[in-house]
Amino acid sequence: MIISLISTCLGYVMVLAAFLVIIPQIVRVLREQRVDGLSLISQVFDLLAGMMGFTMAWTLGQPWSVFGELVPVLLNLSVICHLIIRFRHGPAAANVFSVASLLLFISLLITKPFNILWFLNLPVAFSALGGKLQHIYSIHLTQDSGVISFETQFLGMLGIEDIID
């Protein structure tokens, strides 16, 4: 019983911590008004994986403390994707992406296509990994990480947030 309570409390701590992890990245992008070094492909695959994970946990009726950290993760990834698209392709494209992402997420939550998501889980995981590898390779080629926030990367490395770019 005590272990269950501790586990639940730690889950809620992770939910709160997930809100703080990417804030340094968002602040840096807004302050510098540029997104070089950030990989849209990697962020979009992370966003898709997060949507799928949230939908699967929601469908299975898991407790909030198990998957609640995906709420701030999805919000943070949505903001980062929006900013990357905004600075690279303009506000109209960013708005279209944000609305389309929201509609996709709502559709997933309404339809709860568990079987489809189950079978897409592995390909999306490999795609997210591929996005990370592409991002690392891109940084290696340019020898510049652009506006990537050290604080966000450090907190992500500590495991405070597990699907951060």
Side-chain angles (χ1 to χ4, degrees):
M1 168 122 169
I2 191 85
I3 293 176
S4 176
L5 180 63
I6 291 171
S7 174
T8 300
C9 289
L10 287 175
Y12 287 119
V13 167
M14 291 303 290
V15 171
L16 294 174
F19 272 107
L20 303 176
V21 171
I22 203 167
I23 289 174
Q25 184 64 69
I26 292 170
V27 168
R28 185 162 182 192
V29 166
L30 291 173
R31 185 181 62 233
E32 296 190 23
Q33 297 288 298
R34 61 190 184 105
V35 292
D36 54 303
L38 296 176
S39 170
L40 180 60
I41 293 169
S42 182
Q43 297 293 340
V44 168
F45 278 123
D46 284 350
L47 181 61
L48 184 58
M51 286 180 185
M52 289 175 55
F54 187 96
T55 302
M56 289 178 70
W58 181 269
T59 302
L60 292 172
Q62 293 180 340
W64 185 253
S65 60
V66 171
F67 70 98
E69 80 276 356
L70 286 174
V71 171
V73 168
L74 290 171
L75 287 171
N76 291 333
L77 286 169
S78 296
V79 169
I80 286 293
C81 287
H82 181 89
L83 290 172
I84 292 171
I85 294 170
R86 180 182 180 90
F87 286 117
R88 289 189 185 154
H89 306 288
N95 292 338
V96 168
F97 176 84
S98 294
V99 169
S101 297
L102 182 61
L103 291 175
L104 172 64
F105 189 47
I106 291 169
S107 298
L108 288 172
L109 291 175
I110 290 171
T111 61
K112 299 178 184 178
F114 184 80
N115 290 336
I116 294 170
L117 294 178
W118 180 259
F119 288 108
L120 288 176
N121 218 1
L122 189 58
V124 169
F126 280 126
S127 297
L129 177 60
K132 299 290 185 211
L133 293 175
Q134 174 271 332
H135 188 204
I136 292 167
Y137 182 69
S138 173
I139 290 171
H140 175 72
L141 281 180
T142 62
Q143 296 295 306
D144 183 19
S145 63
V147 294
I148 293 177
S149 165
F150 171 78
E151 296 85 356
T152 293
Q153 298 306 310
F154 183 74
L155 293 171
M157 179 193 71
L158 292 176
I160 292 175
E161 212 262 59
D162 58 1
I163 59 171
I164 193 85
D165 192 43

